[in-house]
Amino acid sequence: MLISVKDLKKDFINDEVITPVLRGVTFNIGMGDFVSIMGPSGSGKSTLMHILSFLDKPTGGKYLFEDRDVSQLSDDELAEMRSKKVGFIFQSFNLLNRSSVLENVMLPLVYTNISAEERVRKAKALLEQVGLSHRLDYSPNKLSGGEKQRVAIARALINDPEVIFADEPTGNLDSKSGAQVMKILQDLNDKGHTIILVTHEKATAEHAERMIRIKDGDIIEDCAVDCRQRADDKEELKK
């Protein structure tokens, strides 16, 4: 099992006031799965993603990644896991405007032993994969929103991660660009990549094979997407 979470909890403490954000969630994600974590603002979905991607630590419960207990890892080990095991795609793209598209994609390789020639080769191959081989020398501020997100996808893939975390990847895009980005994510999943998609948009979440719905820090539904669609259809018939 790639990811195993059991009774995971996260509390935030401010001036001795404890606010529970995750109240004890349990689920597994296998290698090659495409899972969406869906919920409204404040539901705990982003906090959950931060824990799963080694950016934060839980208050309680268990999180195993490839059978390793993440709570036992040091900060240096967590940083190594982030750099080698996961790729990130953000709503705001997080690209460097003073660097070219090619340089942005190569950025995660800066602290590796990969040669300069191999970095360029890998980055060019990934940019061709996302349809941007004609934009290598452009700066990100000369790209459309959809193109920026495709650069971010190429960057997320550069270290051959075990899992790709996509946090509201279509949030700043028009419907056409958003559809293109989701098609790329689906193609990556078809090739064996594990995708964990965090979103508040039902239509985006339904591109995944499985949907985990969170509300007020609890999982209220964990279902295959076609199962979720059948339930929605039944609700429509009742109206």
Side-chain angles (χ1 to χ4, degrees):
M1 189 60 61
L2 179 65
I3 288 172
S4 182
V5 168
K6 186 173 183 180
D7 197 29
L8 197 73
K9 297 182 176 71
K10 179 65 178 181
D11 297 334
F12 288 122
I13 302 174
N14 186 18
D15 292 332
E16 298 185 356
V17 176
I18 299 175
T19 303
V21 179
L22 295 174
R23 300 173 182 269
V25 299
T26 299
F27 59 87
N28 295 321
I29 295 176
M31 186 73 76
D33 287 356
F34 190 169
V35 179
S36 62
I37 299 174
M38 183 185 172
S41 178
S43 61
K45 63 183 186 300
S46 293
T47 299
L48 177 58
M49 190 201 76
H50 290 158
I51 293 172
L52 296 180
S53 58
F54 318 115
L55 291 167
D56 199 358
K57 294 181 179 180
T59 306
K62 281 273 189 181
Y63 171 27
L64 303 181
F65 186 93
E66 295 180 330
D67 295 325
R68 295 182 69 184
D69 186 345
V70 175
S71 66
Q72 301 302 311
L73 300 180
S74 67
D75 288 343
D76 286 344
E77 288 173 322
L78 288 172
E80 185 178 8
M81 295 282 273
R82 283 195 299 272
S83 66
K84 293 183 177 180
K85 296 293 185 179
V86 301
F88 295 96
I89 303 167
F90 301 97
Q91 178 179 353
S92 56
F93 318 126
N94 289 7
L95 302 176
L96 301 178
N97 282 325
R98 293 187 177 182
S99 299
S100 69
V101 163
L102 184 65
E103 289 167 340
N104 268 279
V105 175
M106 290 191 296
L107 191 61
L109 299 178
V110 167
Y111 299 107
T112 68
N113 294 322
I114 298 174
S115 68
E117 292 80 5
E118 180 63 9
R119 293 177 195 178
V120 171
R121 187 199 66 78
K122 289 189 70 172
K124 284 184 175 179
L126 287 169
L127 285 165
E128 182 174 359
Q129 185 176 333
V130 298
L132 288 175
S133 56
H134 60 302
R135 295 282 194 258
L136 301 182
D137 297 323
Y138 278 55
S139 63
N141 56 15
K142 293 182 179 178
L143 302 180
S144 68
E147 288 174 330
K148 289 178 182 177
Q149 197 59 291
R150 283 187 276 158
V151 173
I153 291 172
R155 181 186 57 193
L157 292 169
I158 196 72
N159 270 330
D160 303 313
E162 298 289 341
V163 56
I164 298 168
F165 289 93
D167 188 7
E168 302 282 6
T170 63
N172 284 334
L173 304 180
D174 59 53
S175 57
K176 181 179 178 181
S177 297
Q180 290 173 338
V181 165
M182 294 311 303
K183 174 66 166 58
I184 291 172
L185 291 179
Q186 286 180 312
D187 289 345
L188 290 171
N189 180 244
D190 290 342
K191 294 175 181 176
H193 290 278
T194 305
I195 312 288
I196 298 178
L197 168 71
V198 175
T199 184
H200 69 280
E201 298 174 343
K202 180 173 176 288
T204 300
E206 288 177 347
H207 283 83
E209 298 170 342
R210 171 183 163 203
M211 187 189 304
I212 297 173
R213 294 178 64 215
I214 294 183
K215 184 178 181 181
D216 298 329
D218 290 311
I219 292 178
I220 60 172
E221 186 175 49
D222 185 347
C223 183
V225 166
D226 58 353
C227 168
R228 174 68 253 160
Q229 289 170 335
R230 287 196 297 272
D232 287 345
D233 291 342
K234 289 180 180 177
E235 286 300 316
E236 285 296 320
L237 290 173
K238 291 178 182 178
K239 294 178 181 179

